[in-house]
């Protein structure tokens, strides 16, 4: 594994994509958590769709609300993208040293392994991102560090790997 470029390029590309699409991801998260009966703060159906949610969040909470959780998202993408792309090309190079011998099953296998490894390692940042995106202005926004400490204290290490 002498070539570090796939790791770096994968991380940079992932961070750029995340930065550009983050408000859409925030509205998606808000749409997904609204109407829950478990958390009374999320019980109200506030948004009718993606565009309505985007406009309403911006109007009621400001642009910062659309980017709430961006720090863990960028950390996740830099870790996930770097690991996924790097592991994919490294593993493929080990299995098939000659690129002419590549097959679809080998590429799929390498992609699945790379995706799983990247996802497992970067899961804590994804948990933080979603929790921060779901916060409402009136509920008081937590910083990245505050959200991390809260999850760790209330749920322990397993809370950071929720969903894996």
């Amino acid at each position: 594994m002498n070539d570090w470029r796939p790791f770096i390029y994968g991380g940079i590309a992932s961070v750029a994509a995340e930065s550009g699409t983050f408000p859409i991801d925030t509205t998606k998260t808000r749409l997904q958590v609204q109407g829950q009966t478990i958390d009374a703060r999320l019980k109200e159906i506030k948004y009718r769709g993606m565009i309505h949610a985007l406009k309403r969040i911006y109007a009621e909470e400001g642009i910062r609300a659309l980017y709430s959780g961006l720090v863990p998202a960028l950390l996740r993408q830099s870790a996930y993208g770097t690991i996924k792309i790097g592991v994919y090309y490294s593993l493929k190079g080990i299995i098939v040293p000659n690129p002419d011998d590549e097959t679809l099953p080998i590429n799929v296998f390498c992609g699945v392994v790379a995706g799983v490894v990247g996802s497992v390692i970067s899961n804590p940042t994804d948990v933080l991102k979603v929790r921060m995106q779901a916060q409402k202005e009136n509920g008081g926004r937590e910083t990245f560090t505050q959200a991390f400490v809260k999850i760790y204290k209330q749920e322990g290490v397993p809370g950071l790997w929720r969903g894996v």
Side-chain angles (χ1 to χ4, degrees), residues 14 16 47 63 90 99 108 110 114 123 127 151:
S14 295
Y47 312 113
I63 192 78
S90 299
V108 169
C110 292
N123 196 73
V127 170
I151 292 170

Side-chain angles (χ1 to χ4, degrees), residues 41-149:
R41 294 174 295 160
L42 302 172
K43 192 172 186 175
E44 177 189 359
I45 302 290
K46 196 171 181 178
Y47 312 113
R48 295 187 307 264
M50 183 68 76
I51 301 297
H52 180 254
L54 188 68
K55 287 179 181 178
R56 188 164 179 182
I57 293 166
Y58 177 76
E60 293 178 3
E61 301 175 48
I63 192 78
R64 286 187 63 205
L66 292 169
Y67 285 92
S68 180
L70 183 62
V71 171
L74 293 178
L75 288 172
R76 179 196 185 276
Q77 286 302 349
S78 60
Y80 178 71
T82 300
I83 292 165
K84 180 180 68 173
I85 300 298
V87 168
Y88 173 78
Y89 283 107
S90 299
L91 184 59
K92 193 166 70 166
I94 291 167
I95 294 173
V96 184
N98 182 0
D100 293 336
D101 296 335
E102 285 182 27
T103 64
L104 180 61
I106 288 171
N107 285 321
V108 169
F109 172 76
C110 292
V112 168
V113 170
V116 168
V117 169
S119 200
V120 168
I121 290 172
S122 62
N123 196 73
T125 56
D126 201 37
V127 170
L128 286 164
K129 173 190 75 105
V130 170
R131 301 267 179 105
M132 291 176 76
Q133 285 177 316
Q135 293 175 14
K136 304 284 190 198
E137 184 67 42
N138 58 7
R141 294 203 191 288
E142 296 173 322
T143 65
F144 171 74
T145 306
Q146 290 169 332
F148 177 84
V149 170

Side-chain angles (χ1 to χ4, degrees), residues 7-28:
F7 288 91
I8 301 300
Y9 297 159
I12 291 170
S14 295
V15 166
E18 185 72 20
S19 297
T21 60
F22 198 75
I24 295 167
D25 192 40
T26 299
T27 58
K28 175 192 67 103

